[in-house]
Amino acid sequence: MVQEDGKVQGDACILRSIQQTNTGLSLLCGYLIFLSLPRAMAALYKTASGRLFHAGAIAIVLVGLPARGKTHVSRSLCRYLRWLGVSTKVFSVGNYRRERLQTIPEDYFDPDNLDAQAERLKIADDCLDDMMKWLQDGGGQVGIFDGNNVSAKRRQDIYTRLLQADIHPLFIESICDKPEIVLANIKSVKVSSPDYYGWDPEAAVKDYTERIKQHELDYETIRDPSLPFVKLMNVGERLIVNHVQGYLQSRMVYYLMNLHNRRRTVFFARTGSSVNDGSYRTDAELSPEGWEYAKVLKEFVVEYRAKKDGTTGISADEERSLSVWAPTQKKGRQTASLFVNEPNIAVRHYSMINQLNPGVVDGMTIEEISKQYPDEIERAKADPYHHRYPRAESYHDLAVRLEAIIMELEREKNDVLIVAHETVLRCLYAYLFDRPESDIPKITIPRGKLIVITPSAYGCKEARLDIKES
């Protein structure tokens, strides 16, 4: 199946089911207007204060029982906001606790253990204090307070302290009412959590399940309509939005509407070589070597996904379909064309992932550019991310162009293979691995390697495999 270039799934689909609260129809209308506005990824500008969008300081406060996806939400949202150019940092209560306590007593989370309860509150308050100092004096704009914050009293205390410090709070509560989702979160995330390094997986699951039961005794869902909050139901199935105001906060909600934590794999591969690989304008067809590469790539990916998982005994192609995303340029279309007739694979072509336009230096060698455009070479060396040659694109321009692809990538629940030019894959790689913009021009994506990326709550993991004949 092939899908031609076009609008990447309309924003109406993204709305899913925003449940109206006391803000009523005006909130829904406001989001429809917001989603109709042009949007751009990557920082469009910089300010002396380091803060963007006239938003001031914002504190995101996570709420919910353990194993509800809070860490996944906090780290993913942090990565997205950094990609926008917003100075963002996660302050994890769990990390603060691990730094101070080498081992956790068995009754540490028992509600009847008052000493441990006071110690946990002290650690959480220290974490909150550090976030507030960073927002006020450390150049930060968005702090993400990653903790449980399960009681209404605790949330009200945090809300009051933030307002007194002129910090805009936004609560994000993650709720799961499906036992299978909670169990999957425990197995896939908490067994690999720093709390359980070296533990037997079954013992870790048992211990964490008991910890959840202890937290449930104090848990109160958000019911105060005066608080600004977002409720995530079953990690993205449904959202409840209340009193969310401001452009940047709205961008966060837009991102959360696309977020999920389903297991999946993202593959990166270069396009095959063309008969005129140095020219952008020529849009040349694949060379014989390029066609051979495309054939080997297809066979390698199909065989890789057919391997049985050692734990579940199920292969990736049995569990999930594969979407192949390719540019509309000829060598990209032709590299992806060999996947078209494979079962359970859909091929889509997007102009947004066409390679960076080199402008007037198209087809020129470094020596030729240095001779004809010596000043441009110096500017490119000084700022390779923002520099653009005459009538060309910069990496920054390319990052802005890739917004729709990044949102589609967050939304996609199946495996994805992106076949593209190195310049495009550099930007997408930097997004997934939270790399600074200055690193993007230096990231290496060699042809002949399949990059296998596995997203998780604690960040993406990668493996680089040699593409070889099966």
Side-chain angles (χ1 to χ4, degrees):
M1 185 176 79
V2 181
Q3 177 176 315
E4 291 300 322
D5 187 29
K7 183 170 178 59
V8 182
Q9 293 188 15
D11 287 328
C13 298
I14 305 169
L15 282 172
R16 296 184 187 170
S17 57
I18 300 179
Q19 179 171 318
Q20 296 178 51
T21 58
N22 63 312
T23 51
L25 185 60
S26 61
L27 174 64
L28 183 58
C29 293
Y31 273 101
L32 289 171
I33 293 171
F34 158 71
L35 292 174
S36 69
L37 295 174
R39 299 179 294 277
M41 293 293 289
L44 292 179
Y45 64 96
K46 295 183 178 181
T47 64
S49 68
R51 292 179 176 174
L52 305 180
F53 310 116
H54 307 285
I58 299 172
I60 305 299
V61 181
L62 273 296
V63 176
L65 292 168
R68 264 58 179 181
K70 297 187 302 298
T71 297
H72 172 65
V73 170
S74 64
R75 291 176 182 265
S76 298
L77 189 57
C78 180
R79 182 185 64 195
Y80 170 70
L81 291 172
R82 284 176 176 171
W83 180 257
L84 285 177
V86 178
S87 179
T88 309
K89 186 176 179 180
V90 175
F91 291 80
S92 169
V93 176
N95 286 346
Y96 272 61
R97 169 177 50 76
R98 282 185 282 270
E99 288 173 2
R100 300 185 185 189
L101 303 176
Q102 298 301 316
T103 58
I104 302 174
E106 193 171 316
D107 63 345
Y108 186 74
F109 295 98
D110 188 336
D112 295 328
N113 187 340
L114 299 183
D115 290 340
Q117 191 177 79
E119 185 176 18
R120 295 202 314 270
L121 181 60
K122 174 67 167 58
I123 292 173
D125 279 340
D126 289 347
C127 181
L128 180 63
D129 288 341
D130 286 349
M131 181 185 74
M132 293 173 65
K133 290 175 185 176
W134 180 75
L135 288 171
Q136 292 173 313
D137 306 318
Q141 181 166 12
V142 177
I144 302 178
F145 186 53
D146 183 9
N148 294 319
N149 305 306
V150 293
S151 72
K153 181 181 182 304
R154 175 63 175 163
R155 291 192 293 269
Q156 188 60 49
D157 290 344
I158 293 172
Y159 182 66
T160 301
R161 289 181 61 187
L162 291 172
L163 288 183
Q164 289 174 347
D166 196 26
I167 298 171
H168 306 289
L170 173 60
F171 294 88
I172 298 179
E173 181 177 10
S174 185
I175 300 171
C176 291
D177 56 14
K178 294 184 177 180
E180 63 271 20
I181 294 180
V182 176
L183 182 60
N185 284 344
I186 294 173
K187 288 182 176 180
S188 66
V189 178
K190 293 307 173 186
V191 172
S192 60
S193 163
D195 280 346
Y196 295 103
Y197 284 157
W199 280 57
D200 174 75
E202 291 187 7
V205 169
K206 182 179 179 181
D207 181 84
Y208 205 76
T209 302
E210 182 61 31
R211 187 186 299 186
I212 293 171
K213 291 179 181 178
Q214 291 171 338
H215 279 85
E216 285 175 341
L217 298 175
D218 295 324
Y219 176 58
E220 299 170 289
T221 189
I222 298 177
R223 291 190 174 91
D224 185 351
S226 68
L227 295 180
F229 65 78
V230 177
K231 291 192 179 190
L232 290 173
M233 316 296 291
N234 296 318
V235 199
E237 281 188 5
R238 187 161 60 97
L239 278 81
I240 300 174
V241 182
N242 183 78
H243 277 323
V244 175
Q245 300 175 349
Y247 174 77
L248 188 53
Q249 291 92 325
S250 297
R251 291 295 296 263
M252 297 179 199
V253 174
Y254 172 64
Y255 177 78
L256 293 173
M257 284 191 287
N258 294 279
L259 193 63
H260 66 86
N261 68 344
R262 301 270 186 93
R263 181 184 176 187
R264 59 175 180 149
T265 303
V266 178
F267 303 93
F268 284 173
R270 295 268 299 273
T271 58
S273 59
S274 72
V275 294
N276 190 358
D277 224 23
S279 175
Y280 171 87
R281 286 192 295 269
T282 301
D283 194 18
E285 297 186 351
L286 285 180
S287 64
E289 295 79 11
W291 279 110
E292 181 60 26
Y293 166 86
K295 175 176 175 292
V296 173
L297 172 64
K298 186 265 292 184
E299 293 173 350
F300 186 81
V301 171
V302 169
E303 183 182 85
Y304 180 87
R305 297 187 70 252
K307 293 178 181 177
K308 302 288 185 181
D309 184 276
T311 304
T312 64
I314 301 173
S315 64
D317 64 353
E318 291 175 311
E319 192 174 20
R320 303 175 300 276
S321 62
L322 174 68
S323 293
V324 179
W325 300 357
T328 56
Q329 292 162 312
K330 285 181 183 176
K331 65 180 180 180
R333 294 175 66 92
Q334 291 175 344
T335 303
S337 66
L338 299 186
F339 288 91
V340 170
N341 295 321
E342 290 293 324
N344 208 27
I345 295 179
V347 178
R348 305 175 184 175
H349 299 291
Y350 297 125
S351 62
M352 291 87 77
I353 55 176
N354 287 352
Q355 77 177 79
L356 182 147
N357 184 347
V360 297
V361 300
D362 181 38
M364 296 173 64
T365 64
I366 294 294
E367 292 76 17
E368 291 170 338
I369 298 172
S370 299
K371 185 177 180 179
Q372 294 190 37
Y373 302 100
D375 293 341
E376 295 292 342
I377 282 286
E378 293 304 314
R379 294 189 189 102
K381 289 179 180 178
D383 189 358
Y385 176 76
H386 290 98
H387 174 265
R388 67 171 69 87
Y389 288 97
R391 297 193 290 279
E393 286 181 302
S394 66
Y395 274 101
H396 175 77
D397 298 328
L398 179 57
V400 171
R401 169 156 53 95
L402 287 170
E403 177 197 7
I405 292 299
I406 285 174
M407 279 301 175
E408 180 74 353
L409 191 59
E410 292 289 2
R411 185 161 54 238
E412 181 63 66
K413 295 181 175 65
N414 293 310
D415 289 354
V416 178
L417 166 62
I418 301 179
V419 179
H421 189 265
E422 185 178 25
T423 52
V424 172
L425 297 179
R426 283 171 176 163
C427 289
L428 295 175
Y429 182 96
Y431 169 74
L432 289 174
F433 288 91
D434 199 13
R435 298 277 288 271
E437 62 184 33
S438 59
D439 284 1
I440 291 178
K442 299 177 288 187
I443 295 172
T444 58
I445 312 285
R447 186 175 281 145
K449 292 280 188 180
L450 179 69
I451 301 180
V452 182
I453 301 170
T454 307
S456 71
Y458 291 92
C460 292
K461 300 177 181 179
E462 72 163 303
R464 298 197 174 204
L465 309 178
D466 291 321
I467 299 172
K468 55 185 181 297
E469 293 190 36
S470 304

